[in-house]
């Protein structure tokens, strides 16, 4: 895989460089609530612009249905990118139409443009190779060189991620090179003990990675909504908590495999429960009750790990040499259920281990809860991509960058 460093040595002055970024940021109307993914691509864009390239940045945002939708416009992301670069960034109101063609044609050396949301075009996400290829041909007309730097999208077989690199000289940007380097530390020559913390709502989203990590990890700590399927698999009452009953046999098999292989599964000893899900609009006090994890009352819903579990998890992470964390421990967006996720984040900060926060809600939680990002070894920009890499899957966007 050639990297941007090689491209810069070859020279890019006057060249049109298409940067497939991941500007898929959360929006409250037109206000960006977390600009982490935009900041992550700045080093690549700045390096290219400083070297005299005419930089064309493209990304998706949200899931529009293959047609323009103002709610998913990249205009706020383009404006924020300009602020971070300290330079004007041109914005095309379409992706491959008249506005994009004129905007790119008008770029001077060292200047940057953002084209509108790639997913406003049905060809971007089409499962039909010919339709995707036709859209990739249109994108290729905007550039001389391709730089892949949208790590959060490399697990998607989309036109701008998979098909376009085949049509242009292609290189990996700084972000993708960094992400791949970090993931190799989690899969090749891992420093031990290797602890993995998995949370989030559904156990089915994590089955593949658990299956793979049973061959790699020394201990797996489980939290979030998915933990109640584990507790049920052990025969415990879980009340009205989130539960995937169809996954119980799989979880039981994983617990047995872990025991046979010497992989320690660490589950909560206590949980915070309430009769109903909290009001997320008002964030009104929820008054949760702390109960033993093996004695949850019927009709109560588990919403965070309890104080004894926080101490237990911190102790299980204290001696680790490598830690990977993906998924919050509870409904961290509500102050009454944020302490479990906060405790895990603090344990990673306190640990001398190489710590990786695996994107998605975990990365958002770190920022929302006020932690210094520099206190972690790495915060990934791609939760789904990270998990699929750890599952051992071939990621289309990375395969496309290989020569």
């Amino acid at each position: 895989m050639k990297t941007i460093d090689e491209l810069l040595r070859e020279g890019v002055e006057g060249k049109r460089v298409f940067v497939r970024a991941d500007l898929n940021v959360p929006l409250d109307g037109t206000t960006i609530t977390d600009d982490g993914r935009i900041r992550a691509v700045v080093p690549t864009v700045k390096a290219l612009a400083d070297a005299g390239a005419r930089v064309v940045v493209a990304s998706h945002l949200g899931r529009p249905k293959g047609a323009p939708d103002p709610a998913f416009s990249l205009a706020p992301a383009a404006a924020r990118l300009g602020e971070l670069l300290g330079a004007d960034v041109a914005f095309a109101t379409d992706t491959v139409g008249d506005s994009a063609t004129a905007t790119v044609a008008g770029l001077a050396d060292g200047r940057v443009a953002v084209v509108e949301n790639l997913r406003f075009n049905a060809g971007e996400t089409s499962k039909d190779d010919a339709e995707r290829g036709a859209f990739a041909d249109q994108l290729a007309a905007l550039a001389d060189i391709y730089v892949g730097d949208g790590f959060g999208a490399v697990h998607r077989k989309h036109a701008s991620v998979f098909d376009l690199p085949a049509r242009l000289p292609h290189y990996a940007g700084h972000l993708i090179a960094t992400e791949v380097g970090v993931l190799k530390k989690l899969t090749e020559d891992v420093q031990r003990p290797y602890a993995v913390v998995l949370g989030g709502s559904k156990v089915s989203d994590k089955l593949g990675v658990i299956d793979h990590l049973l061959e790699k990890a020394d201990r797996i700590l489980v939290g979030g909504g998915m933990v109640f399927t584990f507790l049920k698999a052990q025969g415990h009452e879980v009340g009205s908590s989130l539960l995937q009953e169809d996954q119980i046999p799989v979880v039981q098999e994983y617990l047995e495999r872990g025991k046979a292989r010497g992989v320690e599964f660490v589950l909560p000893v206590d949980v915070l429960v309430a009769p109903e899900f909290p009001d997320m609009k008002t964030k009104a006090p929820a008054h949760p009750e702390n109960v033993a994890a093996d004695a949850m009352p019927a009709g109560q819903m588990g919403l965070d790990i309890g104080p004894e579990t926080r101490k237990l998890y911190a102790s299980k992470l204290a001696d680790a040499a490598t830690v990977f964390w993906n998924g919050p421990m509870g409904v961290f967006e509500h102050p009454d259920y944020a302490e479990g996720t906060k405790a895990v984040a603090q344990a990673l900060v306190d640990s001398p281990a190489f710590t990786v926060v695996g994107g998605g809600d975990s990365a958002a939680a770190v920022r929302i809860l006020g932690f210094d990002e520099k206190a972690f070894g790495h915060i990934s920009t791609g939760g789904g991509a990270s998990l699929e890499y750890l599952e051992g899957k071939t990621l289309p966007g990375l395969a496309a960058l290989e020569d």
Side-chain angles (χ1 to χ4, degrees):
M1 183 185 294
K2 290 184 179 179
T3 69
I4 188 175
D5 292 330
E6 295 170 77
L7 173 60
L8 292 170
R9 285 195 295 270
E10 294 167 7
V12 293
E13 187 172 0
K15 299 286 183 67
R16 299 172 302 161
V17 181
F18 186 103
V19 177
R20 202 324 181 167
D22 180 7
L23 309 180
N24 184 29
V25 291
L27 294 173
D28 181 2
T30 59
T31 301
I32 297 168
T33 57
D34 180 359
D35 68 354
R37 283 176 168 164
I38 303 175
R39 287 186 285 112
V41 79
V42 166
T44 289
V45 174
K46 188 175 189 308
L48 291 166
D50 288 349
R54 303 176 183 189
V55 187
V56 182
V57 181
S59 175
H60 70 287
L61 191 152
R63 295 185 177 180
K65 302 184 185 301
D69 183 338
F72 297 106
S73 175
L74 278 175
R80 181 58 180 150
L81 178 61
E83 292 172 356
L84 292 167
L85 290 171
D88 290 336
V89 168
F91 181 66
T93 57
D94 57 25
T95 314
V96 291
D98 292 343
S99 179
T101 301
T103 300
V104 174
L107 279 179
D109 293 359
R111 308 305 290 183
V112 179
V114 174
V115 296
E116 187 55 284
N117 194 333
L118 289 158
R119 291 187 183 174
F120 285 0
N121 305 268
E124 168 68 1
T125 59
S126 175
K127 296 189 184 306
D128 181 79
D129 292 348
E131 186 178 8
R132 270 199 336 274
F135 182 53
D137 288 338
Q138 291 179 290
L139 292 172
L142 297 175
D144 307 303
I145 298 165
Y146 177 93
V147 171
D149 215 31
F151 180 73
V154 294
H155 58 314
R156 306 296 188 194
K157 192 176 181 181
H158 291 169
S160 65
V161 176
F162 180 74
D163 302 272
L164 183 56
R167 288 156 168 79
L168 295 170
H170 46 268
Y171 302 80
H174 288 309
L175 175 61
I176 279 187
T178 298
E179 294 271 14
V180 171
V182 165
L183 288 168
K184 284 184 176 178
K185 289 185 180 182
L186 299 178
T187 53
E188 303 170 13
D189 300 320
V190 180
Q191 297 298 304
R192 298 186 179 281
Y194 178 16
V196 176
V197 187
L198 295 176
S201 58
K202 294 181 178 179
V203 69
S204 57
D205 293 341
K206 304 290 195 303
L207 289 179
V209 76
I210 294 171
D211 183 60
H212 206 67
L213 286 170
L214 282 170
E215 309 296 322
K216 303 277 186 183
D218 296 301
R219 62 185 71 124
I220 300 174
L221 289 64
V222 186
M226 64 182 281
V227 79
F228 300 105
T229 303
F230 277 83
L231 293 173
K232 189 72 171 180
Q234 291 185 323
H236 302 312
E237 170 67 50
V238 297
S240 59
S241 306
L242 186 64
L243 175 65
Q244 289 185 284
E245 294 217 34
D246 61 322
Q247 302 300 332
I248 288 174
V250 182
V251 168
Q252 289 172 329
E253 192 260 328
Y254 284 171
L255 290 169
E256 287 299 318
R257 274 176 58 196
K259 187 176 180 181
R261 295 189 61 83
V263 178
E264 181 185 11
F265 273 98
V266 186
L267 302 178
V269 294
D270 59 346
V271 295
L272 296 185
V273 300
E276 58 189 9
F277 199 79
D279 187 327
M280 298 304 291
K281 287 186 177 179
T282 66
K283 305 288 177 73
H287 306 298
E289 177 187 0
N290 188 54
V291 300
D294 60 359
M296 286 182 63
Q300 295 284 308
M301 178 184 297
L303 294 161
D304 194 13
I305 57 174
E308 292 305 312
T309 302
R310 293 172 217 152
K311 294 177 190 174
L312 172 65
Y313 283 17
S315 71
K316 293 292 183 179
L317 297 172
D319 68 340
T322 304
V323 180
F324 173 73
W325 171 33
N326 181 282
M329 297 293 99
V331 187
F332 73 91
E333 300 91 342
H334 191 287
D336 287 346
Y337 303 109
E339 292 304 315
T341 301
K342 192 181 294 183
V344 167
Q346 188 62 54
L348 266 66
V349 169
D350 295 340
S351 172
F354 175 62
T355 56
V356 179
V357 180
D361 286 343
S362 310
V366 163
R367 290 187 273 266
I368 290 169
L369 296 175
F371 286 90
D372 182 355
E373 294 181 45
K374 295 188 177 75
F376 302 88
H378 179 70
I379 298 179
S380 179
T381 57
S386 296
L387 289 176
E388 290 199 16
Y389 189 100
L390 293 180
E391 286 179 43
K393 291 184 177 179
T394 297
L395 306 187
L398 296 185
L401 293 175
E402 298 287 352
D403 291 316

